[in-house]
Amino acid sequence: MSGMDKYRRSIITMVTIVMMVALLTKCIGRQNQEEVKTSDWPEFAGSAACEGCHKDIYAAHIKTAHFLTTKPATETYIKGSFAAGKNKFLFNNGMEVAMEKRNDSFYQVAYLNGIEKKIRRFDIVIGSGTKGQSFLNWKGNRLFQMPITYFTAADQWSNSPGYPGKAAFDRPITSRCMECHTTYAEVISPIGKEPEAFDRNKILYGVDCEKCHGPAALHVEFQTKNPLDTTGKYIVKPEQLSRQQNLDLCALCHGGRLVKTSPSFSFTAGDTLSKYFAIDTSRKNVADIDVHGNQYGLLASSKCFNKSQMTCSSCHNTHENEKGKLEVFSQRCLSCHKQEDGKQCKLFAKLGPVINKDCIDCHMPKQASRSIAVFLQGENIPTPALLRTHFISIYPEETKKVQGKMAKK
Ligand code: HEC
Ligand code: HEC
Ligand code: HEC
Ligand code: HEC
Ligand code: HEC
Ligand code: HEC
Ligand code: HEC
């Protein structure tokens, strides 16, 4: 029996015991009452519970874009400005949306000719803000995306990507959106019914430890009761997964628009993605893969990936925020492209060791996303977000630019 199976079985056993106890108490307590409503809220502990024993990882993790990717909408997390003169976005049809603080809450308020037409509260922030942030509003048990988004590159409010040129407040948030931006969100509407409804009290914000290591309440309980056990039980260990399982763990959210064949949140760490999504295995033209949201598709088209056992962890330590540390990433390239082995860059002979500081700008240049592009105030052409392509290749135009910069140094 594999580690995963054991892990699953113990969870199932635990849940069964809990359910039986619940059933028994109910039966004794109040006969002929309503049936016991079993909850499928998995046994999460939350990352605060990991801090005591995994101090360094915890301290680094809470600074990552993953951890910060969804948060309740408070002053700390909303990046855009509410100051007069900076807090408005005007649509072509004359509608103006202002970002306003009233009492202790933040709102998007739509005005037409100075008259207030609609007001919605910022309830949830989506996006750590490296590219931008979108904002969600609760209406009963349903979540809706608000019309105004914050676009980091321009430090401005803008229309939300994909919106027509008007202030639309009625774009529902799906469980798939939550699956990629939270650790867990419990869907309470029947399967297939849209817009979907969520249990407000059962949302675990951010891409937290348990998204990648599985629900860990049992692990915390076991390790706490058995402080001398140093093996680590009831937890998904990525090092012990196959290459494809490791890739699937990231591809759940970095694998492009997958068509789901099971309800959202069915996949958990260590699973096989193709059991829950219709995976299109036909080879795509690299130019058709957007740089946003499909790092897996682009990487899988690269020679590096196909001629080695590379996974995302070959270059990323996901516990750390390593954004912008191009020298650190370049060292990881050099772990496979050693000069001694003759696998070095062809330009090494010409440019020398200066290239070791930055393999990235030449071989993984930033490119414009087609799916994240916003209309800034008064502009008719959308401004795209720029992302690193994961199609590792030779880019002569970029090389010229970088070579110029390197020569100046
Ligand atoms: C009471 C202490 C304790 C707590 C609390 C705890 N762990 Fe652990 N954990 C351990 C010990 C001990 C090990 C085994 C030694 C090691 O690998 O560090 C371990 C191992 C692990 C491993 C496997 C490491 C490997 O070998 O690949 C992961 C992943 C992990 N823990 C995640 C978590 C997460 C996530 C939480 C919080 C939800 C958590 N732990 C809470 C003590 C704890
Ligand atoms: C549950 C979905 C999910 C999973 C699983 C996931 N990611 Fe992410 N990842 C995201 C989201 C969402 C963002 C954007 C966060 C933001 O800026 O708001 C992100 C951002 C990142 C970034 C950019 C960080 C930065 O500083 O801008 C890297 C690198 C990354 N992920 C790598 C990985 C790797 C490697 C794995 C697998 C071990 C993985 N991710 C698994 C959803 C996920
Ligand atoms: C298939 C997974 C997936 C789905 C579904 C998804 N996202 Fe994302 N989103 C990502 C990933 C991965 C990133 C960051 C990396 C990238 O852009 O490639 C991201 C980035 C973002 C960012 C920018 C974050 C930052 O810090 O710059 C925002 C805002 C965002 N998503 C909002 C949404 C909203 C709103 C929805 C639902 C309507 C949604 N996303 C659906 C995976 C997803
Ligand atoms: C985005 C996915 C992701 C998140 C979030 C994440 N981990 Fe990990 N973790 C991994 C991967 C992948 C590895 C294996 C790294 C490798 O193969 O080099 C790992 C390895 C580990 C290990 C064993 C190796 C080591 O570095 O000691 C521990 C312990 C661990 N994680 C704990 C945690 C804790 C605690 C948190 C939250 C505070 C957390 N992880 C959050 C993906 C993640
Ligand atoms: C896990 C090992 C590994 C890592 C890490 C790695 N590569 Fe590679 N890379 C390879 C292998 C293997 C090949 C194929 C070599 C061959 O065909 O002889 C390759 C090929 C290439 C090529 C040639 C591509 C082509 O289409 O001709 C370039 C350029 C390249 N790598 C750059 C990089 C850069 C830049 C990084 C870091 C961002 C990197 N590699 C990280 C293993 C790796
Ligand atoms: C100034 C831009 C630039 C930098 C910096 C750079 N490269 Fe290159 N690299 C190129 C170009 C251009 C080629 C193709 C040269 C040719 O075919 O004559 C190339 C070729 C390669 C190849 C393919 C070699 C082959 O046998 O076909 C590999 C592997 C590679 N680079 C890896 C790296 C690594 C690793 C780094 C960082 C240590 C790096 N490069 C830094 C521009 C660059
Ligand atoms: C060969 C090395 C390498 C591998 C393998 C790799 N990445 Fe990256 N990734 C990078 C580099 C370099 C950056 C740019 C970092 C920066 O600019 O700060 C990056 C950036 C990212 C970003 C942020 C994109 C942006 O521009 O904001 C995401 C998300 C990401 N990687 C996800 C993944 C996922 C998921 C995998 C596995 C499918 C993966 N990466 C595999 C090297 C790699």
Side-chain angles (χ1 to χ4, degrees), residues 330 333-334 337 342-347 351 355-360 362-363 394-396 398-400 402-403 406:
S330 301
C333 309
L334 288 167
H337 293 287
K343 303 221 166 103
Q344 251 285 16
C345 178
K346 283 222 173 114
L347 292 193
L351 296 175
I355 69 161
N356 293 349
K357 286 202 160 79
D358 181 7
C359 319
I360 314 303
C362 286
H363 290 295
I394 288 152
Y395 298 88
E398 298 294 332
T399 294
K400 272 188 219 148
V402 178
Q403 235 175 316
M406 283 180 170

PDB file of all heavy atoms in Angstrom, residues 330 333-334 337 342-347 351 355-360 362-363 394-396 398-400 402-403 406, ligand 6:
ATOM      1  N   SER A 330      19.474  31.786 -11.885  1.00  0.00           N
ATOM      2  CA  SER A 330      20.524  31.429 -12.851  1.00  0.00           C
ATOM      3  C   SER A 330      21.415  30.316 -12.299  1.00  0.00           C
ATOM      4  O   SER A 330      21.877  29.450 -13.044  1.00  0.00           O
ATOM      5  CB  SER A 330      21.356  32.668 -13.202  1.00  0.00           C
ATOM      6  OG  SER A 330      20.520  33.662 -13.761  1.00  0.00           O
ATOM      7  N   CYS A 333      19.900  27.128 -13.169  1.00  0.00           N
ATOM      8  CA  CYS A 333      20.137  26.728 -14.568  1.00  0.00           C
ATOM      9  C   CYS A 333      21.505  26.049 -14.635  1.00  0.00           C
ATOM     10  O   CYS A 333      21.675  25.019 -15.283  1.00  0.00           O
ATOM     11  CB  CYS A 333      20.163  27.923 -15.519  1.00  0.00           C
ATOM     12  SG  CYS A 333      18.774  29.053 -15.403  1.00  0.00           S
ATOM     13  N   LEU A 334      22.456  26.685 -13.919  1.00  0.00           N
ATOM     14  CA  LEU A 334      23.835  26.195 -13.996  1.00  0.00           C
ATOM     15  C   LEU A 334      24.004  24.820 -13.353  1.00  0.00           C
ATOM     16  O   LEU A 334      24.969  24.119 -13.638  1.00  0.00           O
ATOM     17  CB  LEU A 334      24.783  27.209 -13.334  1.00  0.00           C
ATOM     18  CG  LEU A 334      24.997  28.495 -14.148  1.00  0.00           C
ATOM     19  CD1 LEU A 334      25.668  29.570 -13.309  1.00  0.00           C
ATOM     20  CD2 LEU A 334      25.812  28.210 -15.405  1.00  0.00           C
ATOM     21  N   HIS A 337      23.478  23.083 -16.492  1.00  0.00           N
ATOM     22  CA  HIS A 337      24.282  23.570 -17.621  1.00  0.00           C
ATOM     23  C   HIS A 337      25.685  23.934 -17.154  1.00  0.00           C
ATOM     24  O   HIS A 337      26.082  25.108 -17.196  1.00  0.00           O
ATOM     25  CB  HIS A 337      23.603  24.767 -18.290  1.00  0.00           C
ATOM     26  CG  HIS A 337      22.327  24.394 -18.959  1.00  0.00           C
ATOM     27  ND1 HIS A 337      22.284  23.685 -20.137  1.00  0.00           N
ATOM     28  CD2 HIS A 337      21.037  24.584 -18.605  1.00  0.00           C
ATOM     29  CE1 HIS A 337      21.031  23.481 -20.483  1.00  0.00           C
ATOM     30  NE2 HIS A 337      20.251  24.011 -19.570  1.00  0.00           N
ATOM     31  N   GLY A 342      30.449  20.869 -20.617  1.00  0.00           N
ATOM     32  CA  GLY A 342      30.265  21.343 -21.991  1.00  0.00           C
ATOM     33  C   GLY A 342      28.818  21.683 -22.312  1.00  0.00           C
ATOM     34  O   GLY A 342      28.426  21.753 -23.469  1.00  0.00           O
ATOM     35  N   LYS A 343      27.984  21.894 -21.262  1.00  0.00           N
ATOM     36  CA  LYS A 343      26.566  22.193 -21.502  1.00  0.00           C
ATOM     37  C   LYS A 343      26.281  23.682 -21.314  1.00  0.00           C
ATOM     38  O   LYS A 343      25.141  24.113 -21.215  1.00  0.00           O
ATOM     39  CB  LYS A 343      25.700  21.376 -20.537  1.00  0.00           C
ATOM     40  CG  LYS A 343      25.960  19.875 -20.650  1.00  0.00           C
ATOM     41  CD  LYS A 343      24.677  19.070 -20.589  1.00  0.00           C
ATOM     42  CE  LYS A 343      24.861  17.635 -21.039  1.00  0.00           C
ATOM     43  NZ  LYS A 343      24.918  16.671 -19.967  1.00  0.00           N
ATOM     44  N   GLN A 344      27.339  24.456 -21.238  1.00  0.00           N
ATOM     45  CA  GLN A 344      27.211  25.889 -21.005  1.00  0.00           C
ATOM     46  C   GLN A 344      26.576  26.594 -22.189  1.00  0.00           C
ATOM     47  O   GLN A 344      26.473  26.057 -23.282  1.00  0.00           O
ATOM     48  CB  GLN A 344      28.604  26.484 -20.784  1.00  0.00           C
ATOM     49  CG  GLN A 344      28.893  26.929 -19.375  1.00  0.00           C
ATOM     50  CD  GLN A 344      28.192  28.225 -19.017  1.00  0.00           C
ATOM     51  OE1 GLN A 344      27.271  28.647 -19.686  1.00  0.00           O
ATOM     52  NE2 GLN A 344      28.630  28.836 -17.932  1.00  0.00           N
ATOM     53  N   CYS A 345      26.208  27.825 -21.927  1.00  0.00           N
ATOM     54  CA  CYS A 345      25.676  28.694 -22.967  1.00  0.00           C
ATOM     55  C   CYS A 345      26.736  28.919 -24.038  1.00  0.00           C
ATOM     56  O   CYS A 345      27.911  29.095 -23.727  1.00  0.00           O
ATOM     57  CB  CYS A 345      25.290  30.023 -22.337  1.00  0.00           C
ATOM     58  SG  CYS A 345      24.682  31.219 -23.506  1.00  0.00           S
ATOM     59  N   LYS A 346      26.309  28.979 -25.298  1.00  0.00           N
ATOM     60  CA  LYS A 346      27.247  29.208 -26.398  1.00  0.00           C
ATOM     61  C   LYS A 346      27.895  30.585 -26.336  1.00  0.00           C
ATOM     62  O   LYS A 346      28.960  30.802 -26.892  1.00  0.00           O
ATOM     63  CB  LYS A 346      26.510  29.061 -27.734  1.00  0.00           C
ATOM     64  CG  LYS A 346      26.266  27.612 -28.100  1.00  0.00           C
ATOM     65  CD  LYS A 346      26.536  27.369 -29.579  1.00  0.00           C
ATOM     66  CE  LYS A 346      26.457  25.897 -29.912  1.00  0.00           C
ATOM     67  NZ  LYS A 346      25.341  25.585 -30.804  1.00  0.00           N
ATOM     68  N   LEU A 347      27.194  31.531 -25.648  1.00  0.00           N
ATOM     69  CA  LEU A 347      27.753  32.880 -25.587  1.00  0.00           C
ATOM     70  C   LEU A 347      28.809  33.039 -24.499  1.00  0.00           C
ATOM     71  O   LEU A 347      29.423  34.098 -24.381  1.00  0.00           O
ATOM     72  CB  LEU A 347      26.637  33.910 -25.348  1.00  0.00           C
ATOM     73  CG  LEU A 347      25.644  34.126 -26.482  1.00  0.00           C
ATOM     74  CD1 LEU A 347      24.831  35.378 -26.224  1.00  0.00           C
ATOM     75  CD2 LEU A 347      26.341  34.226 -27.832  1.00  0.00           C
ATOM     76  N   LEU A 351      31.125  36.290 -23.985  1.00  0.00           N
ATOM     77  CA  LEU A 351      30.780  37.278 -22.957  1.00  0.00           C
ATOM     78  C   LEU A 351      31.411  37.011 -21.593  1.00  0.00           C
ATOM     79  O   LEU A 351      31.485  37.904 -20.757  1.00  0.00           O
ATOM     80  CB  LEU A 351      29.262  37.377 -22.804  1.00  0.00           C
ATOM     81  CG  LEU A 351      28.497  37.898 -24.021  1.00  0.00           C
ATOM     82  CD1 LEU A 351      27.002  37.823 -23.791  1.00  0.00           C
ATOM     83  CD2 LEU A 351      28.897  39.327 -24.369  1.00  0.00           C
ATOM     84  N   ILE A 355      27.551  36.407 -17.818  1.00  0.00           N
ATOM     85  CA  ILE A 355      26.251  35.824 -18.186  1.00  0.00           C
ATOM     86  C   ILE A 355      25.681  34.969 -17.059  1.00  0.00           C
ATOM     87  O   ILE A 355      24.482  34.751 -16.989  1.00  0.00           O
ATOM     88  CB  ILE A 355      26.308  34.985 -19.489  1.00  0.00           C
ATOM     89  CG1 ILE A 355      27.123  33.706 -19.295  1.00  0.00           C
ATOM     90  CG2 ILE A 355      26.787  35.783 -20.677  1.00  0.00           C
ATOM     91  CD1 ILE A 355      26.819  32.666 -20.366  1.00  0.00           C
ATOM     92  N   ASN A 356      26.549  34.509 -16.150  1.00  0.00           N
ATOM     93  CA  ASN A 356      26.064  33.659 -15.059  1.00  0.00           C
ATOM     94  C   ASN A 356      25.142  34.401 -14.101  1.00  0.00           C
ATOM     95  O   ASN A 356      24.429  33.801 -13.319  1.00  0.00           O
ATOM     96  CB  ASN A 356      27.237  33.078 -14.270  1.00  0.00           C
ATOM     97  CG  ASN A 356      28.034  32.094 -15.116  1.00  0.00           C
ATOM     98  OD1 ASN A 356      27.585  31.718 -16.196  1.00  0.00           O
ATOM     99  ND2 ASN A 356      29.199  31.691 -14.637  1.00  0.00           N
ATOM    100  N   LYS A 357      25.163  35.722 -14.156  1.00  0.00           N
ATOM    101  CA  LYS A 357      24.310  36.517 -13.269  1.00  0.00           C
ATOM    102  C   LYS A 357      22.870  36.533 -13.756  1.00  0.00           C
ATOM    103  O   LYS A 357      21.956  36.796 -12.987  1.00  0.00           O
ATOM    104  CB  LYS A 357      24.834  37.958 -13.213  1.00  0.00           C
ATOM    105  CG  LYS A 357      26.096  38.111 -12.404  1.00  0.00           C
ATOM    106  CD  LYS A 357      26.197  39.571 -11.955  1.00  0.00           C
ATOM    107  CE  LYS A 357      27.107  39.765 -10.783  1.00  0.00           C
ATOM    108  NZ  LYS A 357      28.509  39.777 -11.050  1.00  0.00           N
ATOM    109  N   ASP A 358      22.668  36.308 -15.055  1.00  0.00           N
ATOM    110  CA  ASP A 358      21.304  36.417 -15.572  1.00  0.00           C
ATOM    111  C   ASP A 358      21.100  35.634 -16.865  1.00  0.00           C
ATOM    112  O   ASP A 358      21.245  36.170 -17.966  1.00  0.00           O
ATOM    113  CB  ASP A 358      20.956  37.901 -15.783  1.00  0.00           C
ATOM    114  CG  ASP A 358      19.539  38.081 -16.296  1.00  0.00           C
ATOM    115  OD1 ASP A 358      18.795  37.077 -16.352  1.00  0.00           O
ATOM    116  OD2 ASP A 358      19.174  39.230 -16.636  1.00  0.00           O
ATOM    117  N   CYS A 359      20.754  34.361 -16.723  1.00  0.00           N
ATOM    118  CA  CYS A 359      20.388  33.563 -17.899  1.00  0.00           C
ATOM    119  C   CYS A 359      18.959  33.908 -18.306  1.00  0.00           C
ATOM    120  O   CYS A 359      18.502  33.604 -19.409  1.00  0.00           O
ATOM    121  CB  CYS A 359      20.398  32.067 -17.581  1.00  0.00           C
ATOM    122  SG  CYS A 359      21.750  31.491 -16.569  1.00  0.00           S
ATOM    123  N   ILE A 360      18.215  34.504 -17.366  1.00  0.00           N
ATOM    124  CA  ILE A 360      16.758  34.573 -17.472  1.00  0.00           C
ATOM    125  C   ILE A 360      16.291  35.553 -18.553  1.00  0.00           C
ATOM    126  O   ILE A 360      15.441  35.222 -19.385  1.00  0.00           O
ATOM    127  CB  ILE A 360      16.142  34.958 -16.105  1.00  0.00           C
ATOM    128  CG1 ILE A 360      16.775  34.133 -14.974  1.00  0.00           C
ATOM    129  CG2 ILE A 360      14.633  34.810 -16.122  1.00  0.00           C
ATOM    130  CD1 ILE A 360      16.686  32.649 -15.119  1.00  0.00           C
ATOM    131  N   CYS A 362      17.561  36.549 -21.213  1.00  0.00           N
ATOM    132  CA  CYS A 362      17.768  36.096 -22.596  1.00  0.00           C
ATOM    133  C   CYS A 362      16.938  34.852 -22.945  1.00  0.00           C
ATOM    134  O   CYS A 362      16.459  34.731 -24.060  1.00  0.00           O
ATOM    135  CB  CYS A 362      19.242  35.767 -22.837  1.00  0.00           C
ATOM    136  SG  CYS A 362      20.275  37.239 -22.974  1.00  0.00           S
ATOM    137  N   HIS A 363      16.777  33.946 -21.979  1.00  0.00           N
ATOM    138  CA  HIS A 363      16.149  32.657 -22.315  1.00  0.00           C
ATOM    139  C   HIS A 363      14.708  32.505 -21.832  1.00  0.00           C
ATOM    140  O   HIS A 363      14.006  31.597 -22.261  1.00  0.00           O
ATOM    141  CB  HIS A 363      17.002  31.511 -21.762  1.00  0.00           C
ATOM    142  CG  HIS A 363      18.303  31.347 -22.488  1.00  0.00           C
ATOM    143  ND1 HIS A 363      18.366  30.977 -23.814  1.00  0.00           N
ATOM    144  CD2 HIS A 363      19.587  31.512 -22.089  1.00  0.00           C
ATOM    145  CE1 HIS A 363      19.633  30.903 -24.197  1.00  0.00           C
ATOM    146  NE2 HIS A 363      20.400  31.239 -23.177  1.00  0.00           N
ATOM    147  N   ILE A 394      15.828  30.165 -27.409  1.00  0.00           N
ATOM    148  CA  ILE A 394      16.774  31.195 -27.838  1.00  0.00           C
ATOM    149  C   ILE A 394      16.000  32.342 -28.482  1.00  0.00           C
ATOM    150  O   ILE A 394      15.207  32.120 -29.403  1.00  0.00           O
ATOM    151  CB  ILE A 394      17.827  30.587 -28.784  1.00  0.00           C
ATOM    152  CG1 ILE A 394      18.761  29.716 -27.925  1.00  0.00           C
ATOM    153  CG2 ILE A 394      18.646  31.669 -29.491  1.00  0.00           C
ATOM    154  CD1 ILE A 394      19.384  28.582 -28.657  1.00  0.00           C
ATOM    155  N   TYR A 395      16.181  33.546 -27.943  1.00  0.00           N
ATOM    156  CA  TYR A 395      15.440  34.719 -28.385  1.00  0.00           C
ATOM    157  C   TYR A 395      16.441  35.765 -28.866  1.00  0.00           C
ATOM    158  O   TYR A 395      16.945  36.577 -28.059  1.00  0.00           O
ATOM    159  CB  TYR A 395      14.602  35.273 -27.230  1.00  0.00           C
ATOM    160  CG  TYR A 395      13.543  34.310 -26.714  1.00  0.00           C
ATOM    161  CD1 TYR A 395      13.827  33.376 -25.724  1.00  0.00           C
ATOM    162  CD2 TYR A 395      12.242  34.341 -27.237  1.00  0.00           C
ATOM    163  CE1 TYR A 395      12.856  32.496 -25.261  1.00  0.00           C
ATOM    164  CE2 TYR A 395      11.265  33.458 -26.782  1.00  0.00           C
ATOM    165  CZ  TYR A 395      11.583  32.543 -25.790  1.00  0.00           C
ATOM    166  OH  TYR A 395      10.628  31.671 -25.336  1.00  0.00           O
ATOM    167  N   PRO A 396      16.750  35.791 -30.180  1.00  0.00           N
ATOM    168  CA  PRO A 396      17.794  36.689 -30.693  1.00  0.00           C
ATOM    169  C   PRO A 396      17.549  38.175 -30.372  1.00  0.00           C
ATOM    170  O   PRO A 396      18.489  38.883 -30.006  1.00  0.00           O
ATOM    171  CB  PRO A 396      17.768  36.451 -32.207  1.00  0.00           C
ATOM    172  CG  PRO A 396      17.164  35.090 -32.358  1.00  0.00           C
ATOM    173  CD  PRO A 396      16.209  34.935 -31.235  1.00  0.00           C
ATOM    174  N   GLU A 398      15.884  39.552 -27.824  1.00  0.00           N
ATOM    175  CA  GLU A 398      16.146  39.802 -26.401  1.00  0.00           C
ATOM    176  C   GLU A 398      17.652  39.770 -26.143  1.00  0.00           C
ATOM    177  O   GLU A 398      18.175  40.541 -25.357  1.00  0.00           O
ATOM    178  CB  GLU A 398      15.462  38.742 -25.530  1.00  0.00           C
ATOM    179  CG  GLU A 398      13.952  38.723 -25.662  1.00  0.00           C
ATOM    180  CD  GLU A 398      13.297  39.996 -25.143  1.00  0.00           C
ATOM    181  OE1 GLU A 398      13.862  40.641 -24.240  1.00  0.00           O
ATOM    182  OE2 GLU A 398      12.215  40.342 -25.663  1.00  0.00           O
ATOM    183  N   THR A 399      18.325  38.830 -26.815  1.00  0.00           N
ATOM    184  CA  THR A 399      19.771  38.699 -26.620  1.00  0.00           C
ATOM    185  C   THR A 399      20.471  40.008 -26.959  1.00  0.00           C
ATOM    186  O   THR A 399      21.333  40.470 -26.215  1.00  0.00           O
ATOM    187  CB  THR A 399      20.322  37.554 -27.479  1.00  0.00           C
ATOM    188  OG1 THR A 399      19.763  36.340 -26.989  1.00  0.00           O
ATOM    189  CG2 THR A 399      21.834  37.473 -27.396  1.00  0.00           C
ATOM    190  N   LYS A 400      20.055  40.644 -28.061  1.00  0.00           N
ATOM    191  CA  LYS A 400      20.676  41.913 -28.458  1.00  0.00           C
ATOM    192  C   LYS A 400      20.531  42.935 -27.339  1.00  0.00           C
ATOM    193  O   LYS A 400      21.490  43.612 -26.962  1.00  0.00           O
ATOM    194  CB  LYS A 400      19.994  42.458 -29.727  1.00  0.00           C
ATOM    195  CG  LYS A 400      20.626  41.919 -31.005  1.00  0.00           C
ATOM    196  CD  LYS A 400      20.059  42.643 -32.218  1.00  0.00           C
ATOM    197  CE  LYS A 400      19.851  41.648 -33.350  1.00  0.00           C
ATOM    198  NZ  LYS A 400      18.714  41.959 -34.226  1.00  0.00           N
ATOM    199  N   VAL A 402      19.926  42.468 -24.072  1.00  0.00           N
ATOM    200  CA  VAL A 402      20.659  42.123 -22.847  1.00  0.00           C
ATOM    201  C   VAL A 402      22.162  42.254 -23.068  1.00  0.00           C
ATOM    202  O   VAL A 402      22.887  42.750 -22.206  1.00  0.00           O
ATOM    203  CB  VAL A 402      20.293  40.697 -22.382  1.00  0.00           C
ATOM    204  CG1 VAL A 402      21.080  40.323 -21.133  1.00  0.00           C
ATOM    205  CG2 VAL A 402      18.804  40.593 -22.124  1.00  0.00           C
ATOM    206  N   GLN A 403      22.626  41.840 -24.250  1.00  0.00           N
ATOM    207  CA  GLN A 403      24.051  41.935 -24.569  1.00  0.00           C
ATOM    208  C   GLN A 403      24.504  43.397 -24.488  1.00  0.00           C
ATOM    209  O   GLN A 403      25.560  43.693 -23.939  1.00  0.00           O
ATOM    210  CB  GLN A 403      24.291  41.421 -25.990  1.00  0.00           C
ATOM    211  CG  GLN A 403      25.331  40.334 -26.043  1.00  0.00           C
ATOM    212  CD  GLN A 403      25.469  39.762 -27.447  1.00  0.00           C
ATOM    213  OE1 GLN A 403      24.482  39.499 -28.125  1.00  0.00           O
ATOM    214  NE2 GLN A 403      26.690  39.576 -27.887  1.00  0.00           N
ATOM    215  N   MET A 406      24.788  44.284 -20.877  1.00  0.00           N
ATOM    216  CA  MET A 406      25.934  43.631 -20.242  1.00  0.00           C
ATOM    217  C   MET A 406      27.240  44.300 -20.659  1.00  0.00           C
ATOM    218  O   MET A 406      28.171  44.413 -19.867  1.00  0.00           O
ATOM    219  CB  MET A 406      25.972  42.145 -20.581  1.00  0.00           C
ATOM    220  CG  MET A 406      24.946  41.360 -19.778  1.00  0.00           C
ATOM    221  SD  MET A 406      24.969  39.596 -20.144  1.00  0.00           S
ATOM    222  CE  MET A 406      23.895  38.974 -18.838  1.00  0.00           C
TER     223      MET A 406
HETATM  224  C1  HEC B   6      22.980  37.787 -23.600  1.00  0.00           C
HETATM  225  C2  HEC B   6      21.984  36.741 -23.720  1.00  0.00           C
HETATM  226  C3  HEC B   6      22.287  35.383 -23.110  1.00  0.00           C
HETATM  227  C4  HEC B   6      22.625  35.109 -21.826  1.00  0.00           C
HETATM  228  C5  HEC B   6      22.860  36.088 -20.691  1.00  0.00           C
HETATM  229  C6  HEC B   6      22.676  33.666 -21.728  1.00  0.00           C
HETATM  230  N1  HEC B   6      22.420  33.114 -22.932  1.00  0.00           N
HETATM  231 FE1  HEC B   6      22.433  31.148 -23.371  1.00  0.00          FE
HETATM  232  N2  HEC B   6      22.263  31.547 -25.349  1.00  0.00           N
HETATM  233  C7  HEC B   6      22.038  32.786 -25.883  1.00  0.00           C
HETATM  234  C8  HEC B   6      22.019  32.671 -27.347  1.00  0.00           C
HETATM  235  C9  HEC B   6      21.768  33.793 -28.325  1.00  0.00           C
HETATM  236  C10 HEC B   6      22.240  31.307 -27.641  1.00  0.00           C
HETATM  237  C11 HEC B   6      22.349  30.677 -29.031  1.00  0.00           C
HETATM  238  C12 HEC B   6      23.773  30.852 -29.484  1.00  0.00           C
HETATM  239  C13 HEC B   6      24.121  30.131 -30.777  1.00  0.00           C
HETATM  240  O1  HEC B   6      23.412  29.192 -31.141  1.00  0.00           O
HETATM  241  O2  HEC B   6      25.116  30.526 -31.362  1.00  0.00           O
HETATM  242  C14 HEC B   6      22.368  30.630 -26.367  1.00  0.00           C
HETATM  243  C15 HEC B   6      22.540  29.266 -26.228  1.00  0.00           C
HETATM  244  C16 HEC B   6      22.410  28.583 -25.025  1.00  0.00           C
HETATM  245  C17 HEC B   6      22.319  27.147 -24.881  1.00  0.00           C
HETATM  246  C18 HEC B   6      22.266  26.125 -26.004  1.00  0.00           C
HETATM  247  C19 HEC B   6      23.639  25.633 -26.261  1.00  0.00           C
HETATM  248  C20 HEC B   6      23.658  24.626 -27.392  1.00  0.00           C
HETATM  249  O3  HEC B   6      24.446  23.719 -27.287  1.00  0.00           O
HETATM  250  O4  HEC B   6      22.870  24.783 -28.324  1.00  0.00           O
HETATM  251  C21 HEC B   6      22.207  26.869 -23.542  1.00  0.00           C
HETATM  252  C22 HEC B   6      22.096  25.508 -22.887  1.00  0.00           C
HETATM  253  C23 HEC B   6      22.259  28.140 -22.864  1.00  0.00           C
HETATM  254  N3  HEC B   6      22.365  29.164 -23.779  1.00  0.00           N
HETATM  255  C24 HEC B   6      22.191  28.284 -21.487  1.00  0.00           C
HETATM  256  C25 HEC B   6      22.403  29.476 -20.825  1.00  0.00           C
HETATM  257  C26 HEC B   6      22.592  29.586 -19.409  1.00  0.00           C
HETATM  258  C27 HEC B   6      22.528  28.433 -18.434  1.00  0.00           C
HETATM  259  C28 HEC B   6      22.817  30.907 -19.140  1.00  0.00           C
HETATM  260  C29 HEC B   6      23.139  31.533 -17.810  1.00  0.00           C
HETATM  261  C30 HEC B   6      24.306  30.975 -17.144  1.00  0.00           C
HETATM  262  C31 HEC B   6      22.760  31.625 -20.408  1.00  0.00           C
HETATM  263  N4  HEC B   6      22.513  30.727 -21.402  1.00  0.00           N
HETATM  264  C32 HEC B   6      22.914  32.999 -20.545  1.00  0.00           C
HETATM  265  C33 HEC B   6      21.873  33.963 -25.149  1.00  0.00           C
HETATM  266  C34 HEC B   6      22.176  34.122 -23.829  1.00  0.00           C
END
